[in-house]
Amino acid sequence: MTPLEMILAQDGDPPTLTDLGGEDTFWQQAHTLATSPLWFRAAETLLVEWDTLHDPDQAATFVTQALTTTTSPAAADDLLDQLVEHPGYLQRASAQLNTLALERSRHRSTPLEAELAGIFLEAALRLALSGTTRRYGLLDRLVDPDATAAPAAYARRVVRALGTAYEHWRDSDLITALRRFSRTTVHGDASYELAMCHLADAANAPDRATLLQAFATARDLLQQAIDADEDRPDATAFLAALDAVLAFDTGNTTTLATATGQLRRSLTEHALWLTGSRTHWRAGRYDTEAAWYTLSWNLELADAHLDQPLTAWPNQTIQHVLTAYTAHRSVRLQPAEAAPGLQILVAPRIEKAFASRQGLLLHLRGLVADAPDDWDAHAAHQLLQAIDDRLQADAPQVQPGDPGKAAAAASYPELAAELGNQLLASLPTDMLTSLQASCADWEAALVSKLPIAQQHIYNDIIAVLQGCDDFQHPTVRQHFTHLIVQAIRFLHSRTNRARAHHTPRFAYLFAPEPGGKLPLEETVQEDLHDYLDGNLEDADIEVTDRSGGRADIEVRLPGFTTVIECKRTKGRTTRKGLRRYLGQTIAYQAGGITLGMLVVLDLTPKPSWIPNIRDDMWADHIPSPVPEQRDRWAVVVRVPGNRTSPYDMTTPAPAQ
């Protein structure tokens, strides 16, 4: 063993060129190293330091020639794995490597040659899949009819290469070549790959019949793969995935749950089986397994809720339904013009549930109106469009003399905003009256619980907000009115707070001690946030990336969010004076509904007068400066701070 070979034989990472005496020394002994059992270690050294080489062309020649004569499958496999993704080497020798790989894949008379032939065939495939080389010479090798008579070590790799190639190129000759292996020793692998091909076709199926036929064929082939070799968690996983989709189509909840559980177990077993294996170049196949599981999980969650009342639907469930609805995008990336595939099977049940139950449809419309950033808005709008098309197709035509859509919309504006004019015109008057009454019941019950003074505040605000289109949406109105009520109660609580009994957190409401400083706006911001967070669903302080800025308080409600801007002022606390803060308040409405809230801590001295709460809360309409853009609205809350105790107050002087 030469001194350089002794260095190459050391454990650990490949030695550096410096360890080997420099690049010149390496080239002086290149012939010896190329025929050494440790040639692959020398090649790895060159690949690692490729960017610093003085003669990369000579390095490419060294690597290619060493591969030409090697008889070690392990060394060839490891090095080819690096070469097909090495930009420096491929820039100079991709064509030579492809020619060598195809040539060496011809020689497979002995088991050793067959193993090496399969390894080189996979290398040629990876070059073609990445677009580094053309695929035509490879296709000739893949469809070679003599491959079925080759040793299993080569035949098994050919079968896997055929399946992967078909998924990318959809060449029918590849399917024909795969079928030739159905009566060979690798028929289990062939059945599995054929099943994958039919699943790939199913993802592009143009209609239900074609999809179901592709599924049926894939199921039979997967079962054949399992029968040929029971240790096939991959085949078991895909078989369970197909059963889950078919069970969702028929509404068979028990089978769906069983299939999803089987898929989970199979994926776990397959992941353990793959541990330590070098299989990353086919990672797309394993990613697809995981995608099928995710889809089946979403199908199970959607199935569990489709027949439940609306009150049992959290917002996350709608997102699961949307993910299931767009199943064609969940499992496999498709070109933009691809057929809907799996959606053909999954979508009808979901569309029927939403179209037949107005509660679901209204809930979806409300959520879409101001969807969170992480929502699949495309899927939501796709579902809404499909439902609207279905409803329009099923709706009876308006007869001559009927009041028509316009009259119904005018009589029931809230329902028109929720149901749409077309559906509204098709419903009988008694149903419309009942729906209108039910929409108003919840609000009447909410307001009736307020004291009279607070009811007046509420009614005055609602009168101003009637002009806001977003407020007319039932979901927005229902939840924004809850926010208004909470703000009224907050104002009432803080206005009534007595100095003698307050805790330090409420000190901001009162005049500071002599020499003390007036509070900052953060005090009312934190107090209001804590109040809302305890009484509402979800509120955050200082949320970034809101209409290009940072929101003081963001309140997340079902289907939309709204922002509360918090300020403090020591002067100009009239309604007109506080309008100077509305510009920032309404700026946060660029990315959602045109409704917001401004809370101002009034720090003007109050030696003799605290405003009545009816004067401290109102709504303001801010017209758009551009005619074709939307107006905006804000609820304003003026919190009286810098107060003294009533017994310290003087009689207010009459206005001059």
Side-chain angles (χ1 to χ4, degrees), residues 644-656:
T644 59
S645 299
Y647 59 80
D648 291 330
M649 291 185 175
T650 60
T651 302
Q656 299 296 321

Side-chain angles (χ1 to χ4, degrees), residues 73-74 76-82 84-85 118-119 122-123 126 157 160 273-283 286:
D77 200 13
D78 286 340
L79 189 63
L80 286 169
D81 183 42
Q82 299 177 57
V84 295
E85 296 179 354
I119 291 171
E122 285 185 352
R126 293 178 65 182
R157 290 183 184 265
R160 293 174 181 174
W273 178 70
L274 290 171
T275 301
S277 301
R278 186 197 62 75
T279 54
H280 63 275
W281 77 271
R282 300 179 82 226
Y286 313 126

Side-chain angles (χ1 to χ4, degrees), residues 209-356:
T210 304
L211 175 64
L212 289 176
Q213 180 59 50
F215 268 15
T217 304
R219 286 193 84 264
D220 290 343
L221 290 166
L222 289 169
Q223 189 61 58
Q224 292 176 29
I226 295 171
D227 294 342
D229 182 3
E230 62 181 17
D231 187 18
R232 290 303 299 250
D234 49 357
T236 305
F238 280 109
L239 185 62
L242 292 182
D243 287 341
V245 175
L246 294 170
F248 179 84
D249 175 52
T250 59
N252 191 329
T253 300
T254 301
T255 301
L256 175 56
T258 301
T260 302
Q262 179 61 60
L263 178 54
R264 183 185 299 111
R265 290 190 297 273
S266 298
L267 280 176
T268 301
E269 182 181 351
H270 199 198
L272 294 173
W273 178 70
L274 290 171
T275 301
S277 301
R278 186 197 62 75
T279 54
H280 63 275
W281 77 271
R282 300 179 82 226
R285 176 66 57 77
Y286 313 126
D287 289 346
T288 303
E289 288 182 17
W292 275 101
Y293 168 67
T294 301
L295 172 61
S296 67
W297 178 57
N298 282 300
L299 290 176
E300 186 178 20
L301 289 170
D303 175 78
H305 284 82
L306 281 179
D307 298 324
Q308 290 185 7
L310 180 60
T311 53
W313 282 62
N315 293 349
Q316 296 89 337
T317 297
I318 290 282
Q319 185 63 30
H320 288 304
V321 172
L322 295 178
T323 303
Y325 181 73
T326 53
H328 65 293
R329 294 191 293 116
S330 305
V331 173
R332 192 183 305 275
L333 293 177
Q334 296 292 337
E337 67 276 6
L342 286 176
Q343 192 176 16
I344 295 173
L345 203 63
V346 174
R349 184 178 172 212
I350 295 175
E351 292 173 3
K352 180 180 179 182
F354 278 83
S356 62

Side-chain angles (χ1 to χ4, degrees), residues 511-552:
E513 298 295 336
K517 296 182 178 180
L518 291 171
L520 301 175
E521 63 189 41
E522 285 85 350
T523 53
V524 68
Q525 175 189 5
E526 293 175 358
D527 187 24
L528 177 60
H529 169 263
D530 291 344
Y531 185 90
L532 294 177
D533 203 34
N535 292 284
L536 231 61
E537 293 190 9
D538 198 358
D540 272 348
I541 284 182
E542 300 289 347
V543 179
T544 59
D545 295 331
R546 291 299 177 266
S547 297
R550 181 180 62 188
D552 284 351

Side-chain angles (χ1 to χ4, degrees), residues 524-587:
V524 68
Q525 175 189 5
E526 293 175 358
D527 187 24
L528 177 60
H529 169 263
D530 291 344
Y531 185 90
L532 294 177
D533 203 34
N535 292 284
L536 231 61
E537 293 190 9
D538 198 358
D540 272 348
I541 284 182
E542 300 289 347
V543 179
T544 59
D545 295 331
R546 291 299 177 266
S547 297
R550 181 180 62 188
D552 284 351
I553 299 177
E554 181 185 73
V555 181
R556 289 186 288 274
L557 298 164
F560 68 99
T561 62
T562 191
V563 170
I564 302 176
E565 177 69 10
C566 297
K567 294 292 184 184
R568 71 162 190 165
T569 182
K570 294 182 285 185
R572 296 172 59 196
T573 61
T574 62
R575 292 193 179 192
K576 182 178 181 180
L578 293 183
R579 284 181 67 88
R580 67 188 186 275
Y581 297 124
L582 291 179
Q584 185 172 354
T585 302
I586 65 173

